[in-house]
Amino acid sequence: MSFEKIRDPRRVRHWKGDMECDYIYTAGIAGEKFFTTIRDKAKLLATRCAKCKITYLPPRIYCERCQASLDNWIEVPKTGTIETFTTVHMDNNGAPLSKPITLAFIRIDETDGGLIHEIGGTKPEALKIGMRVEAVFQSKSKRTGALTDIKYFKPV
Amino acid sequence: MTVAIVGVGYTDVRSTTPDVSFKESMFEAAVKAYEDAGVNPRKDIGSFITAAEDYYEGYSIFDEFVPDQLGAVLRPVCTVGGDGLLGLITGAMQIETGVFDVVAVEAHSKASDILTLENIMTFAFDPVYNRAFDAHPFFVAGLEMRRFMHETKTSREQCAEVVVKNRRNAIDNPAAVYPAKITVDDVLNSEVIAEPLTRSDVSQMADGTYVIVLASEKKAKKLSDKPIWMKGLGWCSDTPWLESREWGSTVYTHLAKERAYKMAGITNPRKQIDFAEVDDWFSYKELQHIAALGLCEKRKAGKLLQKGSFNRDGQTPVNVSGGRFGVGNLLEASALQSVLECVLQLRSEAGKRQIKDATTAVAQSWRGVPTGTGCVAVLSNEL
């Protein structure tokens, strides 16, 4: 019946709600060792499954292919290869970024993993898949034991 | 035993639904589905399944908010934290146990109620390794897209053709929200989100609800003149670690397909599959999924799509419904939109967009970034 039709959508009732969610996330045994080593020594650690011949970076204390426990920690180079990259023009709220950020997945040498991180020290136009890069660490006093202890990766 | 789809019910898909609550949409779709199947939910349906994700819904323990509108109060109910196709597969398995002979499966999107979708997506990322940057969560799509184009020599234009095709297909789908005649240039020239991904390479959100009624082989033959048989089912999750994945391909679809095709006896998908509804959250994603489903030679999806092989009159029509691009992105419910299209086509009820003489279809789903999870179902109107 037409007289019951919603004529003014502004009069439709809505309730606004927030899902406020604050958490702490535990880095875990592997994450703790990885990040404290970055903080204290500016070095990258990985774990290796000898049976599956997989070197995990980020390191894990288990192998995702054979479910074995891993405690074979190795230091790996801070260099790697750009496997893919993107320049992002929007922030994580969907608003335009005044300064676009270039992110890449860097396959770290001697591992089967790598890190997603920012690329610096070059122009995005100069980037290519396959380009060699290395991690640039924050100075020791600024390092807190987080991914951001690596400032960015720059072309070698 | 083979499980059949014996009833489908759905609401209109709309860009926004300020007049109805998600419960009322579910009620509408459920009533239609039960009517289509000729079942009474209070007597004939043994179990009810919804596919939903708490954060998309804005409720904790969302499972608790589904029984009443489905006719499921005081009955066996569960929610799977996955897409609609995983819900459907779960329903089929419940029937296979022999405990239930009729099961209802529901999925919906009320995306217009979500005020901070980007935040929810960011919250799906690993907090320690992947949330450090103030970048739109689609940066993962930008990374995937570039690697896919590099490995397969797919051009930027070929990705854009997916958007052109699917939005054009939607013109003949009365349920679609985003039908349009656009050009490759329109896609290429739209605002850049995460290079090479533009705004037009991303499907737009919409609201809609689907309910599907499943029945055992014996019961299906009694209930329906046109049962659609679930011939093959598969699902798979890649490692959740972005750092350990292949960036250019979708191994989850490849493995889910292997399982589903084996079950369905599909050995030559290009010949045996008449049409496909695949996930197209992003333009390049459809090309990845077409390749992973074995509907073309490796690395050829973009080239063949450009040639028209996946058009409605092509070798294997893909997303005749319009997919997420044309119908609208319905979050976890798009998988059931894909299933609905397969059912309508296989029942010869697809109107202007009807594919002639189709007997076997494949529906494939993916849950969006940063997931590596998806399902595959082979559906047929022949037992």
Short mmCIF file of all heavy atoms in Angstrom, two decimals, chain B residues 13-39:
data_model
loop_
_atom_site.label_atom_id
_atom_site.label_comp_id
_atom_site.label_asym_id
_atom_site.label_seq_id
_atom_site.Cartn_x
_atom_site.Cartn_y
_atom_site.Cartn_z
N VAL B 13 19.20 -8.39 -5.51
CA VAL B 13 20.49 -7.84 -5.09
C VAL B 13 20.38 -6.33 -5.26
O VAL B 13 19.86 -5.84 -6.26
CB VAL B 13 21.63 -8.41 -5.95
CG1 VAL B 13 22.97 -7.84 -5.51
CG2 VAL B 13 21.65 -9.93 -5.86
N ARG B 14 20.82 -5.61 -4.24
CA ARG B 14 20.72 -4.14 -4.29
C ARG B 14 22.00 -3.53 -3.74
O ARG B 14 22.69 -4.15 -2.94
CB ARG B 14 19.52 -3.67 -3.45
CG ARG B 14 18.19 -3.96 -4.13
CD ARG B 14 17.06 -4.16 -3.14
NE ARG B 14 16.72 -2.93 -2.43
CZ ARG B 14 15.86 -2.89 -1.41
NH1 ARG B 14 15.27 -4.00 -0.99
NH2 ARG B 14 15.59 -1.76 -0.82
N SER B 15 22.28 -2.30 -4.16
CA SER B 15 23.51 -1.66 -3.68
C SER B 15 23.37 -1.27 -2.21
O SER B 15 24.36 -1.19 -1.48
CB SER B 15 23.83 -0.42 -4.52
OG SER B 15 22.76 0.48 -4.47
N THR B 16 22.13 -1.06 -1.78
CA THR B 16 21.90 -0.73 -0.37
C THR B 16 20.48 -1.16 -0.01
O THR B 16 19.59 -1.17 -0.87
CB THR B 16 22.12 0.78 -0.11
OG1 THR B 16 21.74 1.07 1.23
CG2 THR B 16 21.31 1.65 -1.06
N THR B 17 20.27 -1.57 1.23
CA THR B 17 18.95 -2.04 1.66
C THR B 17 18.58 -1.42 3.02
O THR B 17 18.52 -2.13 4.02
CB THR B 17 18.92 -3.58 1.78
OG1 THR B 17 20.06 -3.99 2.54
CG2 THR B 17 18.95 -4.26 0.43
N PRO B 18 18.33 -0.10 3.04
CA PRO B 18 18.07 0.54 4.33
C PRO B 18 16.74 0.14 4.95
O PRO B 18 16.51 0.36 6.14
CB PRO B 18 18.09 2.03 3.99
CG PRO B 18 17.77 2.10 2.54
CD PRO B 18 18.28 0.84 1.92
N ASP B 19 15.86 -0.46 4.13
CA ASP B 19 14.51 -0.73 4.62
C ASP B 19 14.37 -2.06 5.35
O ASP B 19 13.45 -2.24 6.12
CB ASP B 19 13.52 -0.68 3.45
CG ASP B 19 13.98 -1.51 2.26
OD1 ASP B 19 15.19 -1.82 2.18
OD2 ASP B 19 13.13 -1.86 1.42
N VAL B 20 15.29 -3.00 5.09
CA VAL B 20 15.14 -4.33 5.71
C VAL B 20 16.39 -4.71 6.50
O VAL B 20 17.50 -4.37 6.12
CB VAL B 20 14.87 -5.44 4.66
CG1 VAL B 20 13.44 -5.41 4.18
CG2 VAL B 20 15.84 -5.34 3.50
N SER B 21 16.16 -5.45 7.59
CA SER B 21 17.29 -5.98 8.36
C SER B 21 17.79 -7.24 7.67
O SER B 21 17.09 -7.82 6.83
CB SER B 21 16.85 -6.31 9.78
OG SER B 21 15.99 -7.44 9.76
N PHE B 22 18.98 -7.68 8.05
CA PHE B 22 19.50 -8.91 7.43
C PHE B 22 18.58 -10.09 7.74
O PHE B 22 18.43 -11.00 6.93
CB PHE B 22 20.95 -9.19 7.90
CG PHE B 22 21.05 -9.77 9.27
CD1 PHE B 22 21.01 -11.15 9.45
CD2 PHE B 22 21.19 -8.96 10.39
CE1 PHE B 22 21.09 -11.70 10.72
CE2 PHE B 22 21.26 -9.50 11.66
CZ PHE B 22 21.21 -10.87 11.83
N LYS B 23 17.95 -10.06 8.91
CA LYS B 23 17.05 -11.16 9.29
C LYS B 23 15.84 -11.20 8.36
O LYS B 23 15.39 -12.27 7.95
CB LYS B 23 16.57 -10.98 10.73
CG LYS B 23 17.56 -11.47 11.77
CD LYS B 23 16.99 -11.24 13.16
CE LYS B 23 17.90 -11.82 14.23
NZ LYS B 23 17.55 -13.19 14.60
N GLU B 24 15.34 -10.03 8.02
CA GLU B 24 14.16 -9.98 7.14
C GLU B 24 14.52 -10.44 5.72
O GLU B 24 13.73 -11.10 5.05
CB GLU B 24 13.56 -8.57 7.15
CG GLU B 24 12.93 -8.25 8.50
CD GLU B 24 12.74 -6.76 8.76
OE1 GLU B 24 13.35 -5.93 8.05
OE2 GLU B 24 11.99 -6.43 9.70
N SER B 25 15.73 -10.09 5.27
CA SER B 25 16.19 -10.58 3.96
C SER B 25 16.32 -12.10 3.97
O SER B 25 15.93 -12.77 3.02
CB SER B 25 17.56 -9.99 3.62
OG SER B 25 17.44 -8.63 3.33
N MET B 26 16.87 -12.62 5.06
CA MET B 26 17.02 -14.08 5.17
C MET B 26 15.65 -14.75 5.17
O MET B 26 15.45 -15.79 4.53
CB MET B 26 17.76 -14.45 6.47
CG MET B 26 19.26 -14.25 6.39
SD MET B 26 20.09 -14.48 7.98
CE MET B 26 19.96 -16.24 8.23
N PHE B 27 14.70 -14.13 5.86
CA PHE B 27 13.34 -14.69 5.92
C PHE B 27 12.75 -14.77 4.51
O PHE B 27 12.20 -15.80 4.10
CB PHE B 27 12.48 -13.82 6.84
CG PHE B 27 11.04 -14.25 6.90
CD1 PHE B 27 10.69 -15.44 7.52
CD2 PHE B 27 10.05 -13.48 6.32
CE1 PHE B 27 9.36 -15.86 7.56
CE2 PHE B 27 8.72 -13.88 6.36
CZ PHE B 27 8.38 -15.08 6.97
N GLU B 28 12.90 -13.67 3.76
CA GLU B 28 12.35 -13.64 2.39
C GLU B 28 12.96 -14.75 1.52
O GLU B 28 12.25 -15.50 0.85
CB GLU B 28 12.62 -12.27 1.75
CG GLU B 28 12.11 -12.18 0.31
CD GLU B 28 12.57 -10.93 -0.43
OE1 GLU B 28 12.84 -9.90 0.22
OE2 GLU B 28 12.66 -10.98 -1.67
N ALA B 29 14.29 -14.84 1.55
CA ALA B 29 14.97 -15.85 0.71
C ALA B 29 14.59 -17.26 1.16
O ALA B 29 14.39 -18.16 0.33
CB ALA B 29 16.48 -15.65 0.79
N ALA B 30 14.45 -17.45 2.48
CA ALA B 30 14.12 -18.78 3.00
C ALA B 30 12.72 -19.20 2.57
O ALA B 30 12.52 -20.32 2.09
CB ALA B 30 14.24 -18.78 4.53
N VAL B 31 11.75 -18.29 2.71
CA VAL B 31 10.37 -18.62 2.31
C VAL B 31 10.34 -19.03 0.85
O VAL B 31 9.72 -20.03 0.48
CB VAL B 31 9.44 -17.40 2.58
CG1 VAL B 31 8.09 -17.59 1.89
CG2 VAL B 31 9.26 -17.19 4.08
N LYS B 32 11.05 -18.27 0.00
CA LYS B 32 11.06 -18.57 -1.43
C LYS B 32 11.71 -19.92 -1.72
O LYS B 32 11.26 -20.69 -2.56
CB LYS B 32 11.80 -17.47 -2.19
CG LYS B 32 11.04 -16.15 -2.27
CD LYS B 32 11.95 -15.10 -2.91
CE LYS B 32 11.21 -13.83 -3.26
NZ LYS B 32 12.17 -12.78 -3.71
N ALA B 33 12.82 -20.20 -1.02
CA ALA B 33 13.55 -21.46 -1.25
C ALA B 33 12.70 -22.66 -0.81
O ALA B 33 12.65 -23.68 -1.51
CB ALA B 33 14.87 -21.45 -0.50
N TYR B 34 12.04 -22.54 0.33
CA TYR B 34 11.24 -23.67 0.84
C TYR B 34 10.03 -23.91 -0.08
O TYR B 34 9.63 -25.04 -0.33
CB TYR B 34 10.79 -23.42 2.28
CG TYR B 34 11.92 -23.13 3.25
CD1 TYR B 34 11.70 -22.42 4.44
CD2 TYR B 34 13.23 -23.57 2.99
CE1 TYR B 34 12.74 -22.15 5.33
CE2 TYR B 34 14.26 -23.30 3.87
CZ TYR B 34 14.02 -22.59 5.03
OH TYR B 34 15.04 -22.31 5.90
N GLU B 35 9.49 -22.80 -0.60
CA GLU B 35 8.37 -22.91 -1.54
C GLU B 35 8.84 -23.61 -2.83
O GLU B 35 8.18 -24.49 -3.35
CB GLU B 35 7.85 -21.50 -1.85
CG GLU B 35 6.61 -21.43 -2.71
CD GLU B 35 5.37 -21.99 -2.02
OE1 GLU B 35 5.39 -22.09 -0.76
OE2 GLU B 35 4.42 -22.35 -2.73
N ASP B 36 10.02 -23.18 -3.31
CA ASP B 36 10.59 -23.77 -4.54
C ASP B 36 10.83 -25.27 -4.37
O ASP B 36 10.61 -26.06 -5.28
CB ASP B 36 11.90 -23.04 -4.88
CG ASP B 36 12.45 -23.44 -6.25
OD1 ASP B 36 11.66 -23.51 -7.22
OD2 ASP B 36 13.67 -23.68 -6.35
N ALA B 37 11.28 -25.64 -3.17
CA ALA B 37 11.58 -27.05 -2.91
C ALA B 37 10.33 -27.84 -2.51
O ALA B 37 10.34 -29.07 -2.53
CB ALA B 37 12.64 -27.15 -1.81
N GLY B 38 9.30 -27.13 -2.12
CA GLY B 38 8.09 -27.80 -1.64
C GLY B 38 8.29 -28.47 -0.30
O GLY B 38 7.84 -29.59 -0.07
N VAL B 39 9.00 -27.77 0.61
CA VAL B 39 9.23 -28.34 1.94
C VAL B 39 8.74 -27.39 3.02
O VAL B 39 8.68 -26.17 2.82
CB VAL B 39 10.73 -28.66 2.20
CG1 VAL B 39 11.20 -29.76 1.27
CG2 VAL B 39 11.61 -27.41 2.04
#
